[in-house]
Amino acid sequence: AALRESEERYRRLIENARDAIFTIALDGTFISLNPAVETMAGLSRADWIGKPFAPMVHPDDLPLAMEMFQRIIQGGQVPVHELRGNPRLRRPALMEMTLAPLLNDNGKIIGVLGIGRDITERKQLEVQLFQSQKMDSVGKLAGGVAHEFNSIMTAIIGQSELLLSELPVGSGSSLKATEIRNAADRAATLTQQLLAYGRKQLLQ
């Protein structure tokens, strides 16, 4: 009676869990799937029992999925990892997978026990947050560049005023061409420094 009660409690836990819980045989076919799998992937459990798990995984993520599966059935441990659902599924969710060996009464590995958590919405929120932070950084950068631009322009204006102050009264018309070129070169150099600084900051 105690055993039956324990098994029933375990069954209710599995059946009502929000995470996908499944078992896979050594040959890579599903032994069991809980109802959450149907909700997440938009599929029928009955259609997948006894079928390989590989078609459920995104083709680009399948090598990782197979590596994790082989490591488990060989007695190793695997980290929590992410797998995308196959685009052919009605709802190809992004899953955070936790795997453990499935043991028989003698402690022998007979398959894999997996728990998958749908993190699709969480990832989307993370991307939105990242974009928001990026735009905030761009705004701060623009403000910094504007400040540096003002500093450089102040220097240019100062240099121009200094050159003008050094000219003798009434000699504006006789200013040497070399002095004009020197003033222009100084302004061009400062402008190039501003542009280079702006490009460097934007690339970062």
Side-chain angles (χ1 to χ4, degrees):
L3 179 59
R4 285 196 300 271
E5 182 180 351
S6 176
E7 290 177 344
E8 179 61 22
R9 187 183 305 115
Y10 174 77
R11 188 190 65 80
R12 288 197 301 268
L13 175 64
I14 299 299
E15 293 294 312
N16 295 305
R18 297 182 63 182
D19 293 338
I21 301 176
F22 55 89
T23 55
I24 303 175
L26 295 177
D27 63 358
T29 58
F30 282 111
I31 301 173
S32 65
L33 295 160
N34 75 332
V37 177
E38 296 181 323
T39 303
M40 292 181 184
L43 51 83
S44 171
R45 288 186 294 165
D47 293 339
W48 284 87
I49 298 298
K51 302 291 182 60
F53 76 87
M56 194 179 287
V57 181
H58 193 290
D60 293 342
D61 293 351
L62 188 55
L64 173 62
M66 296 303 297
E67 178 187 351
M68 299 295 103
F69 178 76
Q70 290 297 325
R71 285 171 60 178
I72 286 292
I73 65 177
Q74 291 172 7
Q77 295 183 342
V78 301
V80 175
H81 54 284
E82 297 177 5
L83 292 176
R84 291 170 293 174
N86 193 312
R88 294 182 178 181
L89 297 175
R90 281 185 289 174
R91 188 176 182 276
L94 175 62
M95 305 295 292
E96 184 178 76
M97 307 300 298
T98 302
L99 303 180
L102 181 64
L103 308 176
N104 63 10
D105 294 337
N106 298 321
K108 181 180 178 180
I109 297 176
I110 58 172
V112 174
L113 169 64
I115 300 176
R117 174 162 296 179
D118 187 347
I119 59 172
T120 306
E121 292 184 4
R122 189 182 81 186
K123 282 295 182 178
Q124 291 173 346
L125 290 175
E126 288 177 358
V127 170
Q128 293 174 4
L129 177 61
F130 174 76
Q131 291 295 336
S132 176
Q133 292 174 338
K134 185 177 180 180
M135 293 303 297
D136 182 61
S137 299
V138 170
K140 291 180 180 179
L141 173 61
V145 171
H147 174 74
E148 295 296 332
F149 179 78
N150 288 334
S151 299
I152 294 177
M153 290 304 299
T154 299
I156 293 174
I157 294 171
Q159 289 287 340
S160 301
E161 292 177 348
L162 178 61
L163 288 172
L164 291 174
S165 67
E166 292 176 351
L167 294 177
V169 178
S171 64
S173 59
S174 61
L175 186 64
K176 294 180 181 180
T178 55
E179 294 176 327
I180 296 176
R181 282 197 298 270
N182 288 338
D185 289 343
R186 292 182 187 179
T189 299
L190 291 172
T191 302
Q192 289 298 322
Q193 291 174 347
L194 170 64
L195 293 175
Y197 173 81
R199 284 193 296 268
K200 180 179 179 181
Q201 293 300 315
L202 289 174
L203 289 174
Q204 292 177 347

